[in-house]
Amino acid sequence: MIEIVKKHGEIEIFKSYSKYIKSYKIYCLFFVLLVSFITLKFTGIFFNFLSIIFIIGYIYISLFCISTEKIIIKEDYLIIQALNNNEKVLYSKKILLEEVKKVYFKNTFGISLMLDPGILNYLFNSKQKFMKIETKKNYSFGLFLDYNDFLKIDAILQPKIKEHKDKK
């Protein structure tokens, strides 16, 4: 689900992954506790190889995973941002509206561990559904984006692009 906020002449579109992150954290904690009950030693949590892997996964997801993606549409450009749990910007790219060639929805059946959050894609969804913004390069937004959400974004973005190109 996306959120659309209009303020001060700009439009902000948010896509949150918090439900995927919370379920993955619960999954990690569940398996750490499961391994500790199997070994019947609470101190065995820290000396068991599987527990260490799940603890590292929990810490990684807590600190470094993208929890929110955001598009900020301004008068003549848009900004794509990726934020972590602390609302710290991990990635930000400014795209001029005049450079945008095409905006489309892409639905692929292919899983890549290079994509962030690729491991979440393995656990919850086998299809990658996202919006692509084509300029000289291709930019993606929203790994688990529904087509209806794309239509809402496209209904906002296309008139802005057309309006900006008509001015030129």
Side-chain angles (χ1 to χ4, degrees), residues 130-152:
F130 45 88
M131 180 178 79
K132 298 289 268 183
I133 299 173
E134 186 176 311
T135 62
K136 292 177 185 175
K137 296 181 178 181
N138 286 338
Y139 300 99
S140 299
F141 175 79
L143 184 59
F144 303 115
L145 190 69
D146 291 330
Y147 187 70
N148 292 331
D149 291 338
F150 166 73
L151 291 177
K152 291 176 190 175

Side-chain angles (χ1 to χ4, degrees), residues 20-21 23-28 31 54 61 111 113 117-127 144:
Y20 298 110
I21 292 171
S23 61
Y24 185 71
K25 285 180 177 181
I26 292 169
Y27 170 79
C28 285
F31 276 100
F54 283 113
I61 291 296
I111 300 171
L113 283 175
I119 191 70
L120 295 177
N121 199 9
Y122 269 119
L123 296 173
F124 300 108
N125 196 355
S126 61
K127 285 197 170 241
F144 303 115

Side-chain angles (χ1 to χ4, degrees), residues 71 78 80 95-106 130-141 150 153-155 157-162 165:
I71 295 179
L78 60 95
I80 297 178
I95 303 170
L96 297 174
L97 289 177
E98 61 194 33
E99 294 177 353
V100 176
K101 295 179 184 174
K102 186 166 66 168
V103 178
Y104 58 94
F105 181 76
K106 188 163 184 168
F130 45 88
M131 180 178 79
K132 298 289 268 183
I133 299 173
E134 186 176 311
T135 62
K136 292 177 185 175
K137 296 181 178 181
N138 286 338
Y139 300 99
S140 299
F141 175 79
F150 166 73
I153 297 170
D154 197 43
L157 198 56
Q158 288 298 341
K160 284 279 192 184
I161 294 170
K162 186 175 181 183
K165 287 185 179 181

Side-chain angles (χ1 to χ4, degrees), residues 9-127:
E10 64 184 40
I11 302 168
E12 294 182 356
I13 302 168
F14 297 92
K15 173 69 176 153
S16 177
Y17 299 109
S18 61
K19 70 177 182 177
Y20 298 110
I21 292 171
K22 286 178 186 173
S23 61
Y24 185 71
K25 285 180 177 181
I26 292 169
Y27 170 79
C28 285
L29 291 176
F30 172 74
F31 276 100
V32 166
L33 293 174
L34 180 69
V35 169
S36 71
F37 287 133
I38 289 173
T39 59
L40 298 175
K41 296 178 185 175
F42 192 71
T43 57
I45 290 174
F46 300 107
F47 299 112
N48 189 334
F49 182 69
L50 288 175
S51 295
I52 292 171
I53 289 175
F54 283 113
I55 290 169
I56 290 171
Y58 181 85
I59 293 169
Y60 175 77
I61 291 296
S62 297
L63 297 177
F64 302 113
C65 192
I66 295 173
S67 64
T68 306
E69 284 185 294
K70 179 165 70 169
I71 295 179
I72 302 170
I73 304 171
K74 298 205 177 192
E75 192 65 35
D76 57 345
Y77 62 92
L78 60 95
I79 300 171
I80 297 178
Q81 292 182 335
L83 309 168
N84 69 356
N85 292 334
N86 303 328
E87 298 298 319
K88 180 181 173 188
V89 176
L90 298 174
Y91 173 80
S92 181
K93 181 65 180 171
K94 179 179 176 180
I95 303 170
L96 297 174
L97 289 177
E98 61 194 33
E99 294 177 353
V100 176
K101 295 179 184 174
K102 186 166 66 168
V103 178
Y104 58 94
F105 181 76
K106 188 163 184 168
N107 186 356
T108 62
F109 182 79
I111 300 171
S112 171
L113 283 175
M114 299 305 288
L115 290 174
D116 208 357
I119 191 70
L120 295 177
N121 199 9
Y122 269 119
L123 296 173
F124 300 108
N125 196 355
S126 61
K127 285 197 170 241

